[in-house]
Amino acid sequence: MDETEVGRIASWVGLDVGKQDHHATVVSAAGERLFERAVGNDEAAIERLLDRALESGPCALVIDQPGSIGSLAVCVARRRGVPVAYVPGLVMRRASELYRGEAKTDRRDSYVLADTARTHARRLHWLEVSDETLERLRLLGGYDDDLAHDVNRTANRLRDMLLAVSPALERVLGPRLDHPVARALLARYPTPTALRAAGRRRLGPLAKRHAPRLGARLVDEIEAALAAQTVTVPAEDTAGRVIRELAEELDRLADRRDRLAHEIEQTFTSHPRAPVLLSIPGIGARTGARILTEIGDINRFPTAGHLAAYAGLAPVTRQSGSSINGETRSRRGNHRLKNAMWLSAFCSLHHDRSRDYYARKRSEGKLHNAAITCLARRRCDVIHAMLRSGLSYGELPGPPTPAPEPDIALAA
């Protein structure tokens, strides 16, 4: 929102969201507490709250959770034409320290939200009206994050079980659990005893079917690991049942992520800005979808510096007298966007321009992670310019047509 729109707001509605009930506090533009109430998490109750707030003029809704339990309130406010601002949790906790009292209550939190928005309106994160494609990408991206956590948890548990029955076997199969061949072998033959009984005659065809080039070498490594341990641990059969179920669950999770990745790619490529992001080296469908959903409307970032600050990629100056004077990396910002930017910068090192810039930063004495962060910050400028102009990577506006030179002969 621009300054003119913010100046027209007559009241600020701070809404501390909850699963069953929200708590709202409405503060006027002058700082007077107009009213407060508990609000049910249903459409009619939210409508009544906005009706009451709009009696004193245009209002704005300030919320601490725009998704999940706060989604209905955001949708109702947008339908009514009420602008919605979001105060992140870390900002909320720091702001609450400036207010009297130490209690953590819904009533106090809703007032802090409203009054913080009133005094720092231009620093709020205003939620833009998102289109259907971006909303789908946000939901699919969140589901993909959940599946990724489940994959890591299941893989770590499976490696722990393998380590308990055979450390040598875990060194062979543990690092390869992201490959279907390792999961297929453990689902069929989950223990050292079962693997020995199967022998090369059964392990070879199964491994070759899932990994034609890796299969034979993997069977050789498994046989070497089995030969390195002749001791059978207690309750190996029970451990084998757990290993089998974990391998099957991990295979199902991997399959679900693969199908979800295909859906994310289809949804992302249908967005008009997808070709712009996909033309940048190091950005694929999954990373591009995350960047697009976290940025939203690029017009809310006046400059590339604003985008870099929002992503937490802008350096922070630390200065205090003569003892502290320098710049450090920011620990704030949108961490999901920052991670996507950093990953895309790392993947772009095969590109000549990115690799040369990375090498220059390393020659200046920066470590690997710091050099990648510098590259990600530089790519913020590129992404900001491309999304605003709609031009693909490397595509430059045509040179201006020169004015025709006067005919010297005619002039004479």
Side-chain angles (χ1 to χ4, degrees):
M1 294 181 66
D2 56 30
E3 295 186 6
T4 303
E5 293 174 321
V6 171
R8 287 199 294 262
I9 296 177
S11 62
W12 300 85
V13 183
L15 192 68
D16 183 68
V17 301
K19 183 178 180 181
Q20 300 295 334
D21 296 292
H22 311 315
H23 193 89
T25 299
V26 181
V27 177
S28 69
E32 178 186 0
R33 193 189 302 235
L34 300 179
F35 69 92
E36 64 178 74
R37 64 167 61 166
V39 181
N41 191 11
D42 59 77
E43 181 178 349
I46 298 171
E47 288 279 8
R48 289 193 295 270
L49 169 67
L50 295 178
D51 287 338
R52 175 80 182 276
L54 288 169
E55 291 177 358
S56 58
C59 70
L61 178 68
V62 189
I63 200 165
D64 61 343
Q65 174 59 269
S68 186
I69 56 179
S71 297
L72 179 60
V74 173
C75 292
V76 173
R78 283 174 173 168
R79 187 178 65 183
R80 298 287 299 270
V82 174
V84 182
Y86 165 52
V87 178
L90 180 60
V91 177
M92 175 65 185
R93 288 196 296 272
R94 289 175 174 172
S96 65
E97 296 176 357
L98 302 176
Y99 291 83
R100 183 176 55 190
E102 299 181 1
K104 173 74 172 65
T105 63
D106 296 344
R107 178 182 181 183
R108 182 174 185 269
D109 289 346
S110 63
Y111 174 74
V112 171
L113 280 170
D115 198 57
T116 300
R118 179 186 68 84
T119 54
H120 300 283
R122 293 167 182 82
R123 299 183 180 181
L124 295 176
H125 176 53
W126 294 96
L127 300 180
E128 74 281 358
V129 179
S130 58
D131 56 37
E132 184 70 19
T133 302
L134 281 182
E135 193 60 32
R136 286 187 62 194
L137 285 174
R138 287 192 181 97
L139 294 175
L140 293 175
Y143 184 39
D144 185 55
D145 290 340
D146 292 340
L147 289 180
H149 292 318
D150 291 341
V151 167
N152 289 335
R153 177 185 57 81
T154 306
N156 289 336
R157 179 60 176 154
L158 180 53
R159 294 190 69 167
D160 181 67
M161 292 300 301
L162 285 174
L163 194 63
V165 298
S166 176
L169 187 61
E170 191 277 333
R171 286 192 290 270
V172 174
L173 295 177
R176 295 188 172 103
L177 289 178
D178 58 340
H179 198 289
V181 65
R183 302 192 296 266
L185 287 170
L186 291 174
R188 182 74 64 86
Y189 310 109
T191 64
T193 301
L195 289 169
R196 289 192 189 94
R200 178 177 286 273
R201 182 175 63 85
R202 295 180 180 176
L203 296 180
L206 179 60
K208 188 175 181 180
R209 183 164 66 249
H210 290 86
R213 290 184 294 179
L214 176 64
R217 179 161 58 90
L218 181 60
V219 172
D220 292 338
E221 295 180 14
I222 290 175
E223 288 185 335
L226 295 175
Q229 178 178 323
T230 59
V231 175
T232 301
V233 300
E236 187 189 59
D237 292 341
T238 303
R241 180 175 64 84
V242 176
I243 290 173
R244 176 183 288 110
E245 292 180 359
L246 288 173
E248 292 172 348
E249 177 63 20
L250 187 60
D251 199 55
R252 285 192 293 269
L253 289 171
D255 180 65
R256 288 162 68 186
R257 282 205 78 195
D258 290 340
R259 288 187 279 110
L260 184 60
H262 180 66
E263 185 178 358
I264 290 175
E265 182 177 2
Q266 286 185 323
T267 306
F268 173 61
T269 53
S270 67
H271 196 277
R273 289 300 186 213
V276 175
L277 289 174
L278 290 175
S279 67
I280 304 175
I283 293 183
R286 190 176 258 153
T287 307
R290 175 52 55 88
I291 292 175
L292 185 62
T293 55
E294 297 302 330
I295 291 178
D297 183 9
I298 191 62
N299 294 316
R300 64 193 181 101
F301 301 103
T303 66
H306 288 82
L307 176 60
Y310 174 70
L313 292 171
V316 178
T317 302
R318 303 291 185 187
Q319 184 177 3
S320 177
S322 59
S323 59
I324 301 176
N325 189 5
E327 292 183 340
T328 61
R329 62 186 180 92
S330 174
R331 297 184 181 276
R332 299 185 183 181
N334 186 322
H335 291 282
R336 291 184 296 273
L337 178 58
K338 183 177 184 179
N339 292 338
M341 291 283 198
W342 198 96
L343 181 61
S344 70
F346 177 78
C347 295
S348 71
L349 291 180
H350 69 279
H351 188 252
D352 292 340
R353 292 182 181 177
S354 297
R355 186 170 59 251
D356 292 344
Y357 184 84
Y358 169 82
R360 186 164 75 250
K361 290 300 177 181
R362 290 302 304 269
S363 66
E364 294 174 2
K366 295 186 180 295
L367 299 177
H368 169 73
N369 285 354
I372 295 293
T373 302
C374 291
L375 178 58
R377 168 62 185 90
R378 184 171 183 256
R379 287 162 65 89
C380 275
D381 297 344
V382 177
I383 291 174
H384 183 270
M386 291 173 60
L387 289 178
R388 288 181 71 95
S389 65
L391 299 176
S392 299
Y393 185 79
E395 184 181 358
L396 297 176
T401 304
E405 296 183 1
D407 192 325
I408 299 178
L410 291 177

